[in-house]
Amino acid sequence: MKRKPNRVTSHVVAKLAGVSQPTVSRAFTPSASIAKDKRDRVLAAAKQLNYLPNSIASSLSKAHSNIVAVIVGDMNNPFYAESLEIFINRLQATGRQVLVFSVADGRDCDDVLMRALRYHVDGVVVTSAHLSSDLVSLSQGVGIPITLFNRSTADHALNAVLCNSITGSEILAQTMYDAGARRYLIVRGDPQGSTSRNRVKGFRDKLESLAVLPDAIEEIDGDSSYSGAFDTISERFADDGIQRPDAIFAVNDIMAMGCADALRDVFKLRIPEDVMLAGFDGIRPGQLAAYQLTTIRQPIEEMVEKTLELLDQTSMSDDDDETDQITQTDHLLAGTFVPGKTVPSTNI
Amino acid sequence: MKRKPNRVTSHVVAKLAGVSQPTVSRAFTPSASIAKDKRDRVLAAAKQLNYLPNSIASSLSKAHSNIVAVIVGDMNNPFYAESLEIFINRLQATGRQVLVFSVADGRDCDDVLMRALRYHVDGVVVTSAHLSSDLVSLSQGVGIPITLFNRSTADHALNAVLCNSITGSEILAQTMYDAGARRYLIVRGDPQGSTSRNRVKGFRDKLESLAVLPDAIEEIDGDSSYSGAFDTISERFADDGIQRPDAIFAVNDIMAMGCADALRDVFKLRIPEDVMLAGFDGIRPGQLAAYQLTTIRQPIEEMVEKTLELLDQTSMSDDDDETDQITQTDHLLAGTFVPGKTVPSTNI
DNA sequence: GAAATATGTGAATACGTATTCAAAGTTAAT
DNA sequence: ATTAACTTTGAATACGTATTCACATATTTC
């Protein structure tokens, strides 16, 4: 594969404009000191030659690449799709490019993280995915900051941005209790994930503080997915032997939607008259007229903003700071209660 | 911002392994000719030093960057979100990285295309977005192939991959006609876009061939979005003066979902008993139990595969071919009819 | 008008890898 | 044993931009 013969580089532009190559470089650097007439000459020549500065070469000589990597775990969950969109828009607006990696559900993201590091990205955002401590220390050795999004970890000292799962779940528990629910069913997500665990914990603890007996709280696995929740609910409700719950808490909206459809479609149950339902996240499809989920909306924009702030701070600071001490910062943001028609507004 | 002092490059690894820098490079190139013991020595040294080959530097000396840019127009439309996911997975599986750009609805994508070109990406996929002919010729000058996805254009000679909108819409028209519909309403998407235009045309033409009078076919704008369709349908049906249609064709699923919710929620109409409804795309949420849309499913996987094939072919060929003649190739793939509950299976 | 300070410019070089080329070493063939 | 063919290797260099440094010119100051 032979390379294109007539590549137009800054040298070619320089020759046409009658200046040196560094001057061409300066013409494209807003902050550089260059005479106005020379800059104009250079830009004119550049336009005439269809010259585009080579960002790859630029990244090589500069310390940063202007690329941020975003590793997305579960693209099927609209929450992460929505987050990704916002990440892209924010980064694009600040002049950076986004390298997106996808990690199959449950697989660790060491492979793609390695790829990202090779590109000397300015930072890495990890949404839903597991990463080994080897890779984390490698990234710290290379000096590339990682921030976890909607996920935290005790193992590695990593920055993380998340919504307060505990408080959010407490609100839902209280709301359902107030609406008269007495038997509860929790649909778990990834049992390993911090997010699912915290939401379950917040919900449970609140109920127990309201004197609900542990016997009256049931837990099943929903696989973090629509179909997983649909199936598990179908199975649970098909069993006539066990008393049915009168309130269901799915730890995320996409599972709550699966529950809603199973309940309505398979068992002809009305929500919330026959069974209450709540989710968590505040994803867009959950608020469509067909669902109108009761949920806790995560402040995605804020979370993204905080994530990028953390990334920038970290990449700044690790130049001064020769010691490799990473101080973990968990940014807990508050979610908003979204009353839907899935929990009755009046007490029973 | 001073650069990290102890960067570990191939030179450092070479010194530790007692070989030259090119040998390190070869150790990381599977196809390179290198003695097994040397490769092992190099890899051991690399591991010990936490060495990661710098892909940026590699891109600079090689002819290609291993990066493909994907420009996504309407991230709110699950069709494009699903497509993006597949693009990412396929490209990742073939060892390439994905630079994702987002373009605000309706805005042209010249700016982001330029950014992509600067990174010397191996190819660009443009989903839903307009691009100027200036930029197209620029990209051809630089030798970076562009392929349009789910969109075609007469202006520029560009490769394009799309689903056969005409045939798909004809099937829907025929189905609705057979089910007894006599008054039709078409909900348009982007009136400029080739996709929306073709779907409208296919639907209209088929109806006219069935001797449906033009008076019985109405068209309104749905803005390509859920809420746009929701609103426009609400407005149309609020007007009691005009006779209501008995069949609605939204040119994409996300609008069909908006229609469904407006019809059911605002006007208490049953689908399909009171009014038939069909969409186009086959997006996942449209097939949830809450909607069960009648639609034409686009073969996304195939379309993605074809798009990448075209991209690869083009980037190969333009080395031999010095003339800049690009032969436009439209790849028309067939969609699959998805019978939902939104068209009655029995004739009225 | 001379000295002190800005300002603008180009030559040289760094960034880290891949490739070319020629030399050296190794194996096969006669 | 000797030539031929092949495999490995390192020195040198290309890739295209940004930065450093020194020099030259322009502007200010007294």
Side-chain angles (χ1 to χ4, degrees):
Chain A
M1 200 185 296
K2 63 171 189 283
R3 97 180 13 261
K4 212 118 206 211
N6 49 351
R7 306 189 71 79
V8 38
T9 71
S10 57
H11 289 94
V12 180
V13 177
K15 181 170 288 181
L16 177 61
V19 297
S20 69
Q21 177 271 325
T23 301
V24 175
S25 171
R26 285 188 265 260
F28 281 91
T29 308
S31 62
S33 116
I34 180 178
K36 183 173 183 331
D37 60 321
K38 299 242 172 182
R39 168 170 274 149
D40 291 345
R41 278 234 305 283
V42 169
L43 293 182
K47 175 163 290 182
Q48 183 183 333
L49 292 171
N50 271 343
Y51 167 70
L52 282 181
N54 184 335
S55 298
I56 295 277
S58 162
S59 300
L60 187 57
S61 41
K62 286 196 302 198
H64 52 262
S65 62
N66 264 348
I67 301 181
V68 169
V70 178
I71 301 180
V72 183
D74 187 2
M75 286 260 222
N76 289 323
N77 186 339
F79 176 73
Y80 292 112
E82 290 177 24
S83 306
L84 176 61
E85 184 188 356
I86 299 177
F87 270 114
I88 292 175
N89 286 331
R90 293 299 304 139
L91 285 167
Q92 215 170 260
T94 53
R96 287 173 287 187
Q97 276 59 241
V98 191
L99 220 39
V100 181
F101 296 89
S102 148
V103 174
D105 212 32
R107 320 253 323 114
D108 67 17
C109 62
D110 287 11
D111 173 51
V112 296
L113 180 54
M114 194 120 68
R115 290 199 197 191
L117 296 181
R118 284 185 179 206
Y119 274 90
H120 284 210
V121 295
D122 296 344
V124 179
V125 176
V126 177
T127 63
S128 135
H130 305 287
L131 35 88
S132 74
S133 34
D134 278 7
L135 264 283
V136 172
S137 59
L138 175 56
S139 79
Q140 289 172 355
V142 187
I144 295 181
I146 299 182
T147 298
L148 300 181
F149 180 81
N150 197 38
R151 167 164 304 262
S152 74
T153 167
D155 305 354
H156 330 294
L158 282 180
N159 288 334
V161 172
L162 0 87
C163 172
N164 196 329
S165 293
I166 304 278
T167 351
S169 309
E170 284 176 352
I171 295 172
L172 294 177
Q174 181 77 56
T175 306
M176 286 173 148
Y177 182 85
D178 289 347
R182 290 303 172 259
R183 293 195 59 81
Y184 300 86
L185 174 61
I186 302 175
V187 182
R188 275 192 302 252
D190 177 8
Q192 311 295 333
S194 61
T195 305
S196 174
R197 280 212 313 276
N198 284 333
R199 291 177 186 175
V200 170
K201 179 170 163 42
F203 194 78
R204 266 209 124 86
D205 288 356
K206 174 52 108 183
L207 288 183
E208 286 173 14
S209 85
L210 290 168
V212 174
L213 294 179
D215 285 0
I217 310 175
E218 200 180 334
E219 267 186 50
I220 55 179
D221 271 317
D223 186 47
S224 287
S225 69
Y226 174 90
S227 58
F230 189 101
D231 294 345
T232 202
I233 281 286
S234 300
E235 196 180 328
R236 168 61 182 81
F237 274 67
D239 187 344
D240 291 330
I242 323 175
Q243 197 183 343
R244 285 179 175 175
D246 37 32
I248 300 177
F249 171 46
V251 300
N252 67 29
D253 279 359
I254 191 70
M255 289 197 296
M257 289 168 65
C259 295
D261 284 339
L263 295 169
R264 291 188 298 202
D265 211 59
V266 182
F267 300 99
K268 310 301 175 197
L269 294 172
R270 293 162 306 163
I271 301 169
E273 292 83 356
D274 299 325
V275 56
M276 303 179 205
L277 176 65
F280 202 117
D281 278 350
I283 62 177
R284 229 175 280 141
Q287 293 311 310
L288 297 187
Y291 292 97
Q292 295 180 39
L293 276 181
T294 294
T295 191
I296 300 287
R297 187 198 317 282
Q298 298 208 61
I300 305 193
E301 286 83 2
E302 267 184 80
M303 289 170 66
V304 169
E305 211 62 48
K306 259 277 170 273
T307 305
L308 297 181
E309 268 177 37
L310 271 181
L311 227 45
D312 291 346
Q313 282 171 21
T314 317
S315 61
M316 294 292 130
S317 67
D318 73 349
D319 281 318
D320 310 325
D321 194 352
E322 283 299 339
T323 69
D324 260 351
Q325 296 184 345
I326 301 281
T327 43
Q328 179 175 1
T329 325
D330 276 2
H331 276 273
L332 273 190
L333 300 177
T336 325
F337 178 63
V338 179
K341 70 176 179 189
T342 48
V343 168
S345 48
T346 58
N347 293 9
I348 299 179
Chain B
M1 201 184 293
K2 63 170 185 286
R3 99 181 10 261
K4 211 113 206 212
N6 49 350
R7 305 189 73 78
V8 38
T9 71
S10 58
H11 288 94
V12 180
V13 176
K15 180 170 287 181
L16 176 62
V19 297
S20 70
Q21 178 271 324
T23 301
V24 175
S25 170
R26 284 188 264 260
F28 282 91
T29 308
S31 63
S33 118
I34 179 177
K36 183 173 182 334
D37 60 321
K38 298 243 173 180
R39 168 171 275 149
D40 293 345
R41 279 233 305 281
V42 169
L43 293 182
K47 177 164 289 180
Q48 183 183 333
L49 293 171
N50 272 343
Y51 168 71
L52 282 182
N54 184 335
S55 299
I56 295 278
S58 161
S59 300
L60 187 58
S61 42
K62 285 197 302 199
H64 52 263
S65 62
N66 265 347
I67 301 180
V68 169
V70 178
I71 302 180
V72 184
D74 186 2
M75 286 260 221
N76 289 322
N77 187 340
F79 175 74
Y80 292 112
E82 290 177 25
S83 306
L84 175 61
E85 184 188 358
I86 299 177
F87 270 114
I88 291 176
N89 286 330
R90 294 297 305 138
L91 286 167
Q92 216 170 260
T94 54
R96 287 173 288 186
Q97 277 58 241
V98 191
L99 221 38
V100 182
F101 296 89
S102 147
V103 174
D105 212 31
R107 320 252 324 115
D108 67 19
C109 62
D110 287 11
D111 173 50
V112 295
L113 180 55
M114 192 118 69
R115 290 199 198 193
L117 296 181
R118 284 186 179 204
Y119 274 90
H120 284 211
V121 294
D122 296 345
V124 180
V125 175
V126 176
T127 63
S128 136
H130 303 289
L131 35 87
S132 72
S133 35
D134 277 5
L135 264 283
V136 172
S137 59
L138 175 55
S139 79
Q140 289 173 354
V142 186
I144 295 182
I146 300 182
T147 298
L148 301 180
F149 180 82
N150 197 38
R151 168 165 304 260
S152 73
T153 167
D155 305 354
H156 330 294
L158 281 180
N159 287 334
V161 173
L162 3 86
C163 173
N164 196 329
S165 294
I166 304 278
T167 349
S169 309
E170 285 176 351
I171 293 173
L172 294 176
Q174 182 75 57
T175 306
M176 286 173 149
Y177 182 86
D178 289 347
R182 291 302 172 258
R183 294 196 58 81
Y184 301 86
L185 174 62
I186 300 174
V187 182
R188 274 192 302 251
D190 176 9
Q192 312 295 333
S194 61
T195 304
S196 174
R197 280 213 313 275
N198 283 334
R199 292 178 185 174
V200 169
K201 178 171 163 38
F203 194 79
R204 265 209 125 86
D205 288 357
K206 175 51 108 183
L207 288 182
E208 285 173 15
S209 85
L210 290 168
V212 174
L213 294 179
D215 287 0
I217 310 174
E218 201 179 333
E219 266 187 50
I220 55 179
D221 271 316
D223 187 44
S224 286
S225 68
Y226 174 91
S227 57
F230 189 100
D231 293 345
T232 202
I233 281 286
S234 300
E235 194 182 330
R236 168 61 181 80
F237 275 66
D239 188 343
D240 291 330
I242 322 176
Q243 197 185 344
R244 284 179 176 176
D246 37 32
I248 300 176
F249 171 45
V251 299
N252 67 30
D253 279 359
I254 191 69
M255 288 197 296
M257 289 168 65
C259 295
D261 284 339
L263 295 170
R264 291 189 299 204
D265 212 60
V266 182
F267 299 100
K268 311 300 175 197
L269 294 173
R270 290 162 309 162
I271 301 169
E273 292 84 354
D274 299 326
V275 56
M276 301 180 206
L277 176 66
F280 203 118
D281 279 349
I283 61 177
R284 227 175 278 141
Q287 292 311 308
L288 298 186
Y291 291 97
Q292 293 178 38
L293 275 182
T294 294
T295 190
I296 300 287
R297 188 198 317 280
Q298 298 209 62
I300 306 194
E301 286 84 3
E302 268 183 79
M303 289 170 68
V304 169
E305 212 61 48
K306 261 278 170 270
T307 306
L308 297 181
E309 267 175 39
L310 272 180
L311 226 44
D312 291 346
Q313 281 172 23
T314 317
S315 61
M316 294 291 129
S317 69
D318 71 352
D319 281 318
D320 310 325
D321 193 353
E322 284 297 341
T323 68
D324 261 350
Q325 295 183 345
I326 301 280
T327 43
Q328 181 174 0
T329 325
D330 276 2
H331 276 273
L332 272 189
L333 300 175
T336 325
F337 178 62
V338 180
K341 70 175 180 189
T342 49
V343 169
S345 48
T346 58
N347 293 9
I348 299 176

